[in-house]
Amino acid sequence: MRHLTSLKRFWLCLVLTIPMLVQMVAMLWGWMMPAYNWVALITTTLIIIIGAWPYWKSAWAAFLQHNANMNTLVAIGTAVAYLYSLFAMLTGRAVYFESAAFITTFVLLGDAMEERMHQNASGALKKLLDLQVKEAEVLRDGQYVKVPLDQVVKGDLLRVRPGEKVPVDGQITSGTTTIDEAMVTGESMPVQKEVGDLVIGATINRAGTFQFRAQKVGADTMLAQIVEMVKKAQSSHAPIQRLTDRIARLFVPTVLIIAILTFVIWFSFLHASAVSAMLYAVAVIVIACPCALGLATPTALMVGVGRAAKLGVLIKDGEALEAVNKVKTVVFDKTGTITVGKPQVTDVVGDPKTLALAASLEDASEHPLALAVVKKAQEDGAALLTISDFKNVAGQGVIAKLAGQEVRVGSARLMEGLDWPAALKNQAGVLQDQAKTVVLVAKGTAVIGLIAIQDVAKPGAKQAIGALKARGLKTVMLTGDNAQVAQAIADQVGIDQVIAGVLPNEKADHVKALEEGGPVAFVGDGVNDAPALTSATVGIAMGSGTDVAIESGSIVLVQNDLNGVVRALDLSQKTFNRIKLNLFWALIYNLIGIPIAAGCFVLWGLHLSPEVAALAMAFSSVSVVSSSLLLNRTKIQGD
Amino acid sequence: MAQVLVAIGGLILIGAICWWFFAKHEAKVGRATMEGDHQVATVVVNGGYTPSTVVLKKGVAGSVKFEMNDSTACLSHVVFEQLGQNLDLTKQKTTTVTIPTDQAGEFNYACGMDMFHGKVIVK
C-alpha cells in the first residue's frame, strides 16, 4: 500500500467513484440505483482505505505532536462525512458517502498533479547535470584510452574529437577548434579556441580534434559549481516567505475553529438541521487547505532560478532575487566590465612605417600600451625592424637607433624640438578629444605618425545600458582612470554619471554613498571589486572575473556580457512578481472560499457542497504551480 | 436544548484546540548514536518530524537519517536550506543527509512547503 503514488491512488479511487457518479447523473431523470446505499458504502470504504487512510494516519501523528496541517483538514473532512454516513445508514437516514469519496479523490488529484509539476520545476537542474559526459579519452602510458569521468584527475592529458563534449575544465595544449559553449555560458555563437585557451567541461567541440590538460575535475568544474549554486538557490528562502511561515502554524487550527463556529451558528442560532450545518462545516475544512499558500514561493523560485541558470545568470539565493527588484542605481566598474579590459590600437595615422617602427621599439616593453602596439603590429603582419642603442625615458617613451638614424616613440614631451607637421598635430588633437591616448612616432628630426590607443567599450554595452535606463534605473560608472577618458567611454555607451579617479580601496565607499539614494547594484569583475560587490545591495559579478569577485557577488553572470545584467534584472523582477501574484491568488482564494463554504452567501443562492470545495482546493494548488511553470515561457529582455 | 448543548460543546472544543495547538509544549530533543567512528541521528517522518530537533557532536563525522513513515505529499521532501539540499524521501525507506560538523551551528530543515520545521544542532 505504501508504495502507491498519489497518482495511482487517484486512479483507483476515481474508478471506485464511478457508481456514485452514475447515480448522481441518473438522479436528474429520477432513476435510483438498486441498493445504492450498499454500493456507496462498499466503494467509499475502499476509497477511504486506499486514498484517505494515509491522510488520517499522518494527521493523527501530527496531532500527537501538537501540529496541524493540510492532512488534518483532509482527514477531518473525510472522516466526518464517512462516519456520519455510517451512523445515518444504521439509523435509516440519508447518507453522504459520495462527499467522503469525492473529497478523497479530488485531494489525491491535487497531490498527484502537484507532484508531477514539482518534478517539472526541478527539472532544470537535472538537465544541467545530464550535460556531463560519462567517459573521457585520457593519455595513459603513452596511449589514449577511454576511462570513466570520475577517474580523470587534475593534470591528465585528454583528447577531444569533433562532435564530442569536453569532459572537464582545462587548457588546450595542441590543436585548434571552435567550441559551442551555449549550455554553460548561454552564448550562442561558437567560440574559437587555440593552444593556451581554456575549455569548459560539458561544452561541445565542433570543428577540430585537440588535446588539453585537465585543470579542474569533479566538484571543481564550472558545471559542477553552477549546479551547486543553482541547487542552493532553489532551496533557499525569499524573505517574502516569512509571511507564509508565520501563517502556516496558525492557519489550520484557525480553520478548525471557524468550522466549529460554522456548525454552531447554523445549528444553534439559525436553526438549520444538524446535517446541513455539518455539510457547511465540512466544506469549510476542505476548501481551506493551505497548499497553494505553501507552494506559491518555492515553486516560482525554483523555476525562476532554473531558467536564469539556463540563460547564464546564476542567482545565489532568494534574498538576492528579492533585493534586485528594489534597485534604483546600477554602478559599473569600468575596466573589464564596460570596456573589454585590454587597450587596443584604434587608429594609426601618418607614415606607413609608423606601426612597424613603434612595435620594434616597444617589443621589449611590458607597458600595457606597448603590448597593444605590438599586438596590432602582429595582427597587421608588420615585420619588426632591427634596432640598437635602446634607451628608456621614464614616463615619456623610448629612444633608439635604426640604421644609424634616431627613432623615438612616446609622448609629446619626448618629441620636443622635433619637426611636427601641422596635419599630424591636428589629428592628435582630434584623437585626444575622443579620449584616446596618442603615442607619437618620430624618425630622424620629424614626427612621422601617430598611434591612438583606447580600451574600447564592449560590443552590446550601449544597448545594455540603454535597456537599463529604459527601466528607469540610474547608471553610474566608477573608475580609477582620468576623467577625460572615463567621460568619453561613458558618452559612448550612455552612462548617466561618471566618478573618475577612484582608488581601488575607495570603490566600496562610493557605493555606500550612492546607496543613500536607494538600493544599488554593483557590477564588477576584479579582485579590487570584491568589497564593492559585498557592500552593494546586490553584487553582480562578471563571469570572466576572478574567483574572489564571483564569491562576493550575489548574482554571477557566466557570460562576460553586459546584457546579462539586463537579463538578471528582468528575470528577478518577473520571478518576484510571480511570487507576489501566487501569494495574492492563494490568499484571496482562501479569503473568498471560506466564507462561501461557510454559507455566508446562501441568501443569494451561493454555496459550495463539500465535493465542489474539494475540487476547488485541488485546482488552487495546481493553478499556483502552473503559474510558476509559466515563468519558463515568459519573454526575458536581453535573451 | 440541543442547540444550547451544541453551542457549549463547540466552545469547549475551540478552547481545547487553542490549548492543544497554540500553548507551549516541550519538544523532545534527539541525540545521535555512534556507528563506528560516525554519529547518526534518526528522525522519523510521520505527520511531522520526531524528534524535530537533533543534536550532533562537533568534530565527529555525522549524518541525519530520515525514516519515512508517511505516504502523503506533504512530507515527501525535506529541504535543508543552508546546505542547499532538497531530497525526495519517498524513493527509499530511509534517506541519509550528511551534516558538516567541523564547526558548531544550527541547520534548519523543513518540508517542501515549509509547513513542518526541524533543526540539527551541532555543538
Side-chain angles (χ1 to χ4, degrees):
Chain A
M1 276 297 290
R2 184 170 293 146
H3 56 263
L4 284 183
T5 62
S6 297
L7 192 66
K8 284 183 198 148
R9 285 178 213 271
F10 163 71
W11 285 117
L12 279 172
C13 292
L14 188 69
V15 170
L16 288 166
T17 55
I18 287 173
M20 285 179 274
L21 271 173
V22 169
Q23 172 58 48
M24 264 172 93
V25 175
M27 207 156 58
L28 300 175
W29 288 276
W31 179 77
M32 279 302 290
M33 190 181 285
Y36 171 72
N37 280 4
W38 287 101
V39 173
L41 170 69
I42 292 164
T43 52
T44 306
T45 305
L46 284 173
I47 287 172
I48 293 289
I49 293 170
I50 296 168
W53 178 248
Y55 294 97
W56 291 14
K57 183 171 150 290
S58 176
W60 179 247
F63 176 76
L64 291 180
Q65 294 174 48
H66 306 277
N67 258 324
N69 55 74
M70 98 141 216
N71 291 347
T72 313
L73 297 177
V74 174
I76 293 179
T78 49
V80 169
Y82 180 69
L83 296 176
Y84 170 77
S85 297
L86 279 183
F87 161 78
M89 207 172 154
L90 285 173
T91 52
R93 299 166 210 242
V95 296
Y96 290 91
F97 283 119
E98 67 278 5
S99 289
F102 289 147
I103 293 171
T104 309
T105 311
F106 289 139
V107 168
L108 281 172
L109 173 67
D111 270 12
M113 292 183 78
E114 180 208 309
E115 252 171 42
R116 250 292 180 50
M117 297 203 199
H118 214 88
Q119 281 163 9
N120 281 348
S122 54
L125 204 59
K126 207 177 157 302
K127 266 182 221 150
L128 273 176
L129 275 174
D130 285 346
L131 288 174
Q132 230 157 33
V133 288
K134 309 280 174 288
E135 289 186 315
E137 249 188 299
V138 182
L139 188 68
R140 293 276 157 87
D141 303 325
Q143 276 197 340
Y144 280 102
V145 286
K146 288 226 170 199
V147 302
L149 189 64
D150 53 8
Q151 289 181 15
V152 178
V153 293
K154 208 175 140 180
D156 269 346
L157 264 181
L158 292 92
R159 182 168 66 184
V160 187
R161 297 166 195 270
E164 284 181 349
K165 276 184 183 170
V166 181
V168 294
D169 297 1
Q171 193 172 23
I172 298 186
T173 55
S174 71
T176 56
T177 186
T178 53
I179 291 184
D180 180 358
E181 297 187 333
M183 55 294 298
V184 178
T185 65
E187 166 68 56
S188 52
M189 289 293 288
V191 189
Q192 287 276 355
K193 300 271 178 178
E194 54 185 48
V195 174
D197 282 344
L198 299 177
V199 290
I200 309 168
T203 55
I204 299 171
N205 179 25
R206 287 263 178 253
T209 301
F210 66 90
Q211 279 87 39
F212 76 101
R213 192 170 293 284
Q215 288 180 331
K216 284 175 179 171
V217 298
D220 293 332
T221 62
M222 189 156 163
L223 182 72
Q225 295 199 332
I226 290 176
V227 168
E228 190 55 30
M229 208 183 273
V230 173
K231 225 160 106 181
K232 281 219 165 111
Q234 284 190 330
S235 56
S236 74
H237 284 185
I240 197 172
Q241 225 171 333
R242 285 189 205 123
L243 168 80
T244 51
D245 288 4
R246 237 176 287 143
I247 293 176
R249 225 189 109 62
L250 308 177
F251 192 84
V252 173
T254 308
V255 167
L256 291 180
I257 291 171
I258 294 173
I260 293 168
L261 286 175
T262 305
F263 184 85
V264 169
I265 289 170
W266 276 108
F267 183 76
S268 301
F269 296 97
L270 300 172
H271 305 291
S273 70
V275 175
S276 52
M278 179 196 77
L279 290 180
Y280 285 127
V282 170
V284 166
I285 288 173
V286 170
I287 205 165
C289 281
C291 282
L293 212 54
L295 289 168
T297 317
T299 51
L301 205 60
M302 202 178 259
V303 176
V305 169
R307 169 95 191 263
K310 266 190 254 170
L311 293 175
V313 176
L314 306 180
I315 300 170
K316 280 198 183 154
D317 52 29
E319 210 161 324
L321 189 124
E322 194 170 327
V324 172
N325 287 284
K326 305 193 183 99
V327 164
K328 294 273 174 292
T329 311
V330 184
V331 183
F332 295 90
D333 168 50
K334 184 179 88 67
T335 310
T337 303
I338 288 184
T339 64
V340 177
K342 290 173 192 146
Q344 282 177 354
V345 173
T346 53
D347 307 80
V348 181
V349 187
D351 192 281
K353 280 254 159 44
T354 300
L355 188 62
L357 199 58
S360 308
L361 264 75
E362 302 271 37
D363 196 33
S365 174
E366 286 289 316
H367 194 276
L369 296 182
L371 291 178
V373 171
V374 173
K375 185 161 176 275
K376 175 73 175 170
Q378 279 169 357
E379 279 170 11
D380 289 6
L384 294 189
L385 312 163
T386 319
I387 53 161
S388 58
D389 297 337
F390 187 87
K391 199 168 79 196
N392 210 337
V393 185
Q396 293 188 14
V398 191
I399 304 177
K401 283 231 165 76
L402 172 73
Q405 204 175 21
E406 192 178 71
V407 284
R408 302 172 177 217
V409 176
S411 65
R413 210 181 303 164
L414 193 70
M415 309 296 158
E416 256 167 38
L418 298 186
D419 182 23
W420 192 348
L424 281 181
K425 215 166 207 168
N426 275 342
Q427 284 275 7
V430 170
L431 291 169
Q432 265 161 346
D433 279 347
Q434 294 167 7
K436 290 171 183 169
T437 311
V438 176
V439 175
L440 303 169
V441 181
K443 193 172 164 190
T445 57
V447 173
I448 57 158
L450 334 157
I451 298 172
I453 298 169
Q454 194 179 33
D455 189 4
V456 291
K458 282 181 190 166
K462 185 174 184 177
Q463 187 203 348
I465 305 267
L468 290 177
K469 282 162 85 172
R471 297 173 77 88
L473 296 167
K474 185 182 165 194
T475 51
V476 178
M477 187 168 82
L478 219 53
T479 176
D481 266 4
N482 73 60
Q484 203 188 358
V485 176
Q487 191 60 52
I489 293 276
D491 291 344
Q492 264 180 35
V493 298
I495 289 259
D496 293 322
Q497 188 191 340
V498 176
I499 305 177
V502 181
L503 295 174
N505 52 4
E506 291 173 350
K507 278 186 184 171
D509 298 335
H510 281 283
V511 167
K512 276 188 202 131
L514 285 165
E515 248 163 6
E516 276 164 27
V520 167
F522 180 82
V523 189
D525 71 336
V527 175
N528 61 29
D529 292 336
L533 284 168
T534 316
S535 61
T537 319
V538 181
I540 303 180
M542 285 290 215
S544 66
T546 56
D547 289 351
V548 187
I550 289 171
E551 194 62 36
S552 314
S554 46
I555 293 179
V556 178
L557 307 177
V558 177
Q559 221 175 315
N560 192 11
D561 170 12
L562 281 181
N563 265 315
V565 178
V566 184
R567 240 173 280 165
L569 287 175
D570 200 39
L571 255 165
S572 303
Q573 197 179 42
K574 295 242 161 81
T575 308
F576 191 64
N577 284 347
R578 190 59 54 135
I579 291 174
K580 282 198 280 192
L581 179 78
N582 284 353
L583 284 176
F584 172 79
W585 170 242
L587 275 173
I588 278 294
Y589 168 84
N590 275 319
L591 284 180
I592 295 174
I594 293 177
I596 296 178
C600 294
F601 306 108
V602 163
L603 281 182
W604 296 275
L606 190 61
H607 74 108
L608 291 172
S609 65
E611 301 93 284
V612 177
L615 186 62
M617 189 235 85
F619 180 71
S620 80
S621 314
V622 171
S623 62
V624 161
V625 181
S626 323
S627 136
S628 294
L629 283 177
L630 278 178
L631 269 177
N632 265 329
R633 291 172 189 269
T634 45
K635 199 176 152 15
I636 298 298
Q637 221 181 339
D639 180 10
Chain B
M1 189 58 196
Q3 275 100 340
V4 177
L5 283 179
V6 163
I8 293 170
L11 286 179
I12 292 172
L13 208 52
I14 289 172
I17 288 174
C18 287
W19 171 76
W20 186 257
F21 292 114
F22 297 152
K24 285 253 176 261
H25 299 278
E26 281 280 304
K28 268 191 236 145
V29 174
R31 302 234 154 237
T33 52
M34 293 302 291
E35 287 180 8
D37 56 351
H38 192 98
Q39 53 177 338
V40 179
T42 306
V43 172
V44 176
V45 183
N46 186 15
Y49 302 110
T50 343
S52 59
T53 306
V54 293
V55 178
L56 294 179
K57 229 180 278 150
K58 188 183 144 186
V60 183
S63 56
V64 174
K65 209 157 74 183
F66 286 90
E67 204 175 303
M68 189 63 174
N69 275 335
D70 195 299
S71 39
T72 61
C74 256
L75 287 148
S76 62
H77 286 246
V78 67
V79 179
F80 276 82
E81 191 190 349
Q82 291 115 309
L83 301 179
Q85 299 261 35
N86 184 346
L87 302 161
D88 191 343
L89 300 179
T90 58
K91 298 272 185 271
Q92 59 281 316
K93 173 86 180 137
T94 58
T95 307
T96 306
V97 184
T98 309
I99 306 289
T101 52
D102 46 335
Q103 43 188 309
E106 284 189 12
F107 298 96
N108 296 319
Y109 62 87
C111 72
M113 287 186 213
D114 220 14
M115 301 263 170
F116 295 95
H117 301 98
K119 63 183 166 195
V120 180
I121 301 172
V122 178
K123 63 181 181 191

